[in-house]
Amino acid sequence: MVLIIAEKPSLARNIAAGIGRMTKKDGYLEGCGYLVTWAFGHLFSLADVEDYTHAGEKKWTLDNLPCFPSEFKFKLRPGDDGKEDAGVKKQFQTISYLCNREDVEAIVNAGDADREGEIIVRLCISNALKTKKPLLRLWLPDQTPETVASGLKELKSEDEYQNLANEGFARTYTDWLYGVNLTRFATLKAGTLLRVGRVIIPIVKAIYDRDMAIKNFVPDIYYVIASHAKTNGEEIELVSKTKFDKNELDKAKALCEKYNAAGAYVKNVKKKKDTLAPGKLFSLSKLQNLLGKKYKMPMEESLAIVQKLYEEGFLTYPRTNSEYLATAEKDKMKKILENIKGIGYPVCFKDKKTIFDDSKIESHSAITPTYKIPDKSRLNEKEAIVYSTVFRRFVAVFCAEDCIVDKTEIIISVGDYEDFTLKGVVIREKGWTKYDDCSTKDKVLPALKKGDAVNVLFEPEEKETTPPKHYTIETLNNYLKNPFREEKLSKKSAQEENQASDESPDRSEEEKTAEDEEYKAMFEGLELGTEATRTGIINNARKSGYIQLKKDVYTILPGGIYLIESLTKMNISMDKYKTASLGKALKSVFRGEMSIDESVDIAKKEISEVFAKKSSAPENDTDTGLFGDMVGKCPLCGGNVKRYKYSYGCDNYKNGCKFRINDNICQRNISVSNAKLLLETGRSSKIQGFVSKKGTLFDAYLILDNGTVKFDFSNNTPAYTAPPLPTEAPGCGS
């Protein structure tokens, strides 16, 4: 007998359908020489800190941090209440029984075809199997019976997937180290749960940074020179690339006079018949981008629907970062195309580098339909939208009818000063655009020929700079796929902003280069999160109250602002650079260039720096202590002054005592040591690094004056005279 362990019950059912004639047992199926059982996704989870330190109490404390296990331990996944999950325990007992049955000659890992699915089933086998048996891998690009039957004939040794498993374990260990150690550390410091993770923090910070840039944006005036004069009764708009600052109006007027005096003529006219290429097949993120932009569909919803359609055998594996197909899939595509052609669509096989390109595939090809076409009446509205979106793109890519267009380019010269290029596209034969959206918009061009004179009347036009845009599903996804791609945020008015979408089929060489850079970044591990994890992490950030999604726009929430600003005060840096460096290490594990332990050591080193006891002179100390720490006695009422969320405050605040010392004054953390000194002696050490509203650095003492905290510049000649400090801080005692 051959035992197949699927990642989920749904996959087990599809595998059984591919085998045929199987009998249902308690927790497994049997027949035709196979046993098929399943996990429920993760049956095992990493042990808690207390499992390593043998602490009886589950209360979080710094005493057992940082926790760096010499060997990572797994345990059966508990229920939501933290107690033993009877269903999980029973299913693992079934798996254990089947693994050790004497008639089982080989065990097949049928986890989802990714690093997570790889280790989910490996953990089940390693914890269940008591004797050595051959281990094989079933790798399924889709879950149709035909693919299952074919895959069972092409089983490979599990050893061929060792590097994938190594990366999966390295990623799991690294994320645990960051999540457990830094979440507990930050939470104990802040007194409220702060979820700190390798990927969630740079995601929230990206949205925070963008929203702060929008909030602090100050519009600026600038000028362009433009002509809207008519020639032969048609207005011809010419806008110069030259821009002038708000104090350069005279220069703009002077250039207008030169342009108007020079006159203009048609330097060249190019017209050519051309074919317009369709968009590319979908990766998961590009599909989510389109569904979010067009239908305002949240990422977790679109992923859930694509996953369901995959499990029902209608679409190929969804968690892919590629928009290309593997060359080995050409025969498979021919069969699917024949099936689609049979239901009335004009498709044909096309062997093109823009479709089949192994260099653009890491593990999985683009999302496509399978030969199994659903009865649309059995799909709900949103399932029909998602399936139709993938299906129509596939038909467009392999459409036998080309989209024929007339491309026109008119070059107008204004003397020897500047050339202006007008472009237009007219669709003559719709071709694939009958099945998939085309973002190319026709632009009506004037009827001009080479040598024609063109009337011009250039005048300065006042424009106003616009703030950056909030992140959308599309733009955040694009940022996370390559966070180091330079954004072009040049001065643009709202009228000038008309950027081409990633889905535009008529792409320039610059856009193709950007695509190459994007794939290079993904393969090097520079992306933030992966196609498999990104959606879940963003959803966790939403559930945690850090960000919100309205329609398809992300914005930061007060909880997210507090998270990022608290981590900044704690000197916990989880920016895109650090996350990307860890991602590169994980990809090195996948390529066999680095061991699991070596990649984990990088994380340990980074985390150790947060916990390092850095002895600082009082003037440089920035450690604000832990939430609830006793600092001293209140100078107003004699109560206890404790460390709270935003300040060191009197614990009699509920009885009306308003004494507090803000934990951050003029962009400078006030350390617990200086707060204690201030309460004990009425004067802190001379604190270095205050920042004025104008950005000037200054040093000063803090003193108590009748319970009010003030600056003291004794023996100090500041470049800036600070105003009196406020006596209240938001959130004291909260």
Side-chain angles (χ1 to χ4, degrees), residues 482 485 509-519:
N482 186 0
R485 182 167 57 189
E509 287 301 319
E510 183 180 356
E511 289 170 318
K512 292 175 184 176
T513 300
E515 178 195 281
D516 291 339
E517 290 176 355
E518 184 177 279
Y519 275 91

Side-chain angles (χ1 to χ4, degrees), residues 194-255:
L194 297 180
R195 299 186 188 279
V196 184
R198 185 178 60 88
V199 179
I200 192 174
I201 296 304
I203 288 175
V204 176
K205 190 174 189 308
I207 297 170
Y208 168 88
D209 288 343
R210 178 61 57 85
D211 283 14
M212 291 303 107
I214 293 169
K215 178 182 176 181
N216 299 323
F217 180 80
V218 179
D220 195 14
I221 299 298
Y222 68 100
Y223 294 95
V224 298
I225 65 170
S227 171
H228 300 275
K230 290 185 177 181
T231 298
N232 300 329
E234 294 184 89
E235 179 183 307
I236 299 176
E237 182 183 43
L238 304 176
V239 181
S240 174
K241 295 177 182 177
T242 305
K243 292 179 173 62
F244 299 89
D245 289 338
K246 58 186 175 184
N247 59 350
E248 295 180 322
L249 180 57
D250 290 341
K251 290 183 180 181
K253 289 180 178 179
L255 189 60

Side-chain angles (χ1 to χ4, degrees), residues 11 14-15 17-19 113 138-155 310 313-317 329 332-333 335-336 369-372:
L11 177 55
N14 290 334
I15 291 172
I19 295 171
L138 176 61
W139 190 266
L140 298 175
D142 64 62
Q143 295 189 18
T144 59
E146 184 180 278
T147 299
V148 170
S150 175
L152 289 172
K153 295 175 184 176
E154 300 171 358
L155 294 173
Y310 160 67
F314 301 132
L315 295 180
T316 56
Y317 184 75
E329 295 178 294
K332 176 183 174 182
M333 291 303 117
K335 292 179 182 178
I336 294 172
T370 66
Y371 72 86
K372 187 179 176 183

Side-chain angles (χ1 to χ4, degrees), residues 619-640:
E619 60 268 22
N620 294 319
D621 192 4
T622 60
D623 183 10
T624 56
L626 298 179
F627 185 88
D629 275 355
M630 189 71 70
V631 180
K633 291 295 181 181
C634 175
L636 298 182
C637 72
N640 294 320

Side-chain angles (χ1 to χ4, degrees), residues 678 682-684 701-705 708-712:
L678 182 61
R683 181 184 178 92
S684 72
Y701 297 92
L702 295 180
I703 60 170
L704 285 177
D705 183 4
T708 301
V709 180
K710 295 182 177 180
F711 283 123
D712 178 11

Side-chain angles (χ1 to χ4, degrees), residues 242-442:
T242 305
K243 292 179 173 62
F244 299 89
D245 289 338
K246 58 186 175 184
N247 59 350
E248 295 180 322
L249 180 57
D250 290 341
K251 290 183 180 181
K253 289 180 178 179
L255 189 60
C256 285
E257 291 177 4
K258 290 181 180 180
Y259 276 32
N260 292 333
Y265 71 98
V266 178
K267 185 176 182 179
N268 200 5
V269 177
K270 295 180 182 177
K271 286 187 178 180
K272 69 172 183 176
K273 186 178 180 181
D274 203 354
T275 57
L276 195 65
K280 298 191 298 298
L281 298 171
F282 287 115
S283 65
L284 175 60
S285 58
K286 291 298 172 70
L287 176 60
Q288 290 176 311
N289 287 353
L290 189 148
L291 294 170
K293 187 174 184 178
K294 189 172 181 179
Y295 301 104
K296 312 305 178 191
M297 193 179 291
M299 289 173 63
E300 68 271 17
E301 183 177 19
S302 58
L303 175 58
I305 293 172
V306 179
Q307 179 72 22
K308 182 173 184 288
L309 293 170
Y310 160 67
E311 291 176 1
E312 292 176 349
F314 301 132
L315 295 180
T316 56
Y317 184 75
R319 291 175 171 83
T320 173
N321 56 15
S322 182
E323 300 156 280
Y324 293 83
L325 300 173
T327 54
E329 295 178 294
K330 290 178 181 178
D331 288 341
K332 176 183 174 182
M333 291 303 117
K334 289 176 183 177
K335 292 179 182 178
I336 294 172
L337 288 166
E338 282 299 316
N339 201 33
I340 291 175
K341 189 175 181 179
I343 58 173
Y345 289 90
V347 292
C348 67
F349 179 75
K350 296 178 181 179
D351 191 351
K352 293 183 176 181
K353 187 76 169 177
T354 54
I355 303 173
F356 297 94
D357 189 347
D358 292 339
S359 69
K360 299 286 180 67
I361 299 172
E362 184 179 44
S363 298
H364 296 283
S365 297
I367 303 170
T368 71
T370 66
Y371 72 86
K372 187 179 176 183
I373 298 174
D375 178 354
K376 290 187 179 179
S377 66
R378 299 182 65 180
L379 300 179
N380 64 37
E381 181 182 359
K382 291 188 177 180
E383 289 170 352
I385 286 172
V386 173
Y387 181 80
S388 178
T389 300
V390 176
F391 184 87
R392 287 187 288 106
R393 176 58 57 85
F394 187 78
V395 170
V397 168
F398 288 100
C399 187
E401 302 170 355
D402 289 333
C403 175
I404 307 299
V405 299
D406 285 340
K407 288 186 177 181
T408 303
E409 181 179 281
I410 300 174
I411 299 175
I412 297 174
S413 290
V414 177
D416 294 327
Y417 293 109
E418 188 173 351
D419 286 347
F420 296 83
T421 301
L422 308 180
K423 293 182 178 181
V425 174
V426 177
I427 294 178
R428 295 301 183 191
E429 297 177 24
K430 288 188 175 181
W432 59 263
T433 64
K434 291 184 287 186
Y435 309 103
D436 196 26
D437 294 337
C438 175
S439 61
T440 298
K441 297 179 180 178
D442 295 351

Side-chain angles (χ1 to χ4, degrees), residues 665-667 689-701 711-714 716-726:
I665 298 172
C666 291
Q667 300 183 41
F690 291 110
V691 182
S692 74
K693 289 183 178 179
K694 294 182 179 179
T696 305
L697 287 169
F698 66 96
D699 306 334
Y701 297 92
F711 283 123
D712 178 11
F713 295 101
S714 302
N716 186 27
T717 306
Y720 164 73
T721 302
L725 290 172

